[in-house]
Amino acid sequence: QVLGQVKESWQRAREAGALGTRLDRLFQHAFAVAKRARTETRVGAAPVSVHLLDAESGTLRREAQWEGDGAADRESLPRDAGLTGAAFESGQPVACAAPAADPRFAASVDTPEGGSIAALLVLPLRFRGRTLGVCRIFTSDARAASARTAEVLGAALSAAVRNVLLYRSLVESIEAVARARKNAVDGQ
């Protein structure tokens, strides 16, 4: 979902002539990395979700998800429990082919809503040295829950987070320019 939103914004910025060559190439590279990550890791095979830290409650709240095979992820998670909490608190990814065998595993946290145990990737979403949330990926393919997968996806997600924040800034700038042009035309 996030990638789709970023892509749409990139297209709008391109059409408005607001992107330079370097920025355009950066976006294209980020899209290529994301596509490669999805292909190589078979992410589409299981529930995938993004949980962000809720400043008021201190919990991780689900902001987006893809319900693979009809399974949904949990709405809210503690930030300091289970494999999910380990990834959030340390800022390091967790890749676990057999999560129940890991002593940090907490069934009430490290499973989707239905409670079924599956191979798990938990990737911290970081920006400027701060963990903002996590991306959780459950997969029936234990091979996908590897350090290599975490590395590829981590790079794609880092680019996506930066691009989303850049997108917000870009949209605000485009809207400000549009308002200024409209005011200039109306004032003449």
Side-chain angles (χ1 to χ4, degrees):
Q1 285 176 328
V2 171
L3 184 61
Q5 291 170 355
V6 171
K7 217 172 206 181
E8 182 182 319
S9 302
W10 165 72
Q11 288 170 338
R12 277 200 263 157
R14 243 180 140 187
E15 290 167 4
L19 290 177
T21 306
R22 281 180 153 170
L23 189 56
D24 188 43
R25 274 192 239 141
L26 173 69
F27 272 99
Q28 289 180 24
H29 178 69
F31 297 142
V33 169
K35 182 177 180 180
R36 180 176 159 218
R38 185 174 172 91
T39 301
E40 286 184 14
T41 62
R42 300 204 273 169
V43 164
V48 176
S49 62
V50 172
H51 287 76
L52 299 178
L53 181 62
D54 178 27
E56 287 182 29
S57 69
T59 62
L60 297 170
R61 294 266 180 216
R62 187 181 68 213
E63 296 292 329
Q65 76 173 337
W66 182 81
E67 297 178 6
D69 300 328
D73 201 355
R74 298 177 186 275
E75 183 71 31
S76 178
L77 302 165
R79 66 184 274 179
D80 57 356
L83 296 164
T84 301
F88 180 83
E89 294 293 328
S90 71
Q92 298 297 312
V94 170
C96 206
D102 190 301
R104 301 171 294 178
F105 176 75
S108 63
V109 177
D110 297 319
T111 58
E113 259 179 9
S116 61
I117 299 172
L120 174 65
L121 281 168
V122 184
L123 305 167
L125 303 175
R126 296 181 56 81
F127 183 69
R128 295 187 178 169
R130 203 172 123 228
T131 305
L132 307 174
V134 295
C135 175
R136 293 174 16 126
I137 302 164
F138 296 93
T139 179
S140 57
D141 183 356
R143 294 172 297 161
S146 69
R148 173 70 179 138
T149 301
E151 179 185 338
V152 171
L153 286 176
L157 287 171
S158 292
V161 168
R162 282 191 302 272
N163 288 341
V164 165
L165 296 174
L166 177 61
Y167 157 72
R168 287 180 183 167
S169 174
L170 187 59
V171 166
E172 289 170 2
S173 297
I174 291 169
E175 289 171 351
V177 167
R179 279 191 304 274
R181 285 182 180 168
K182 185 179 183 300
N183 291 341
V185 169
D186 290 347
Q188 290 182 349

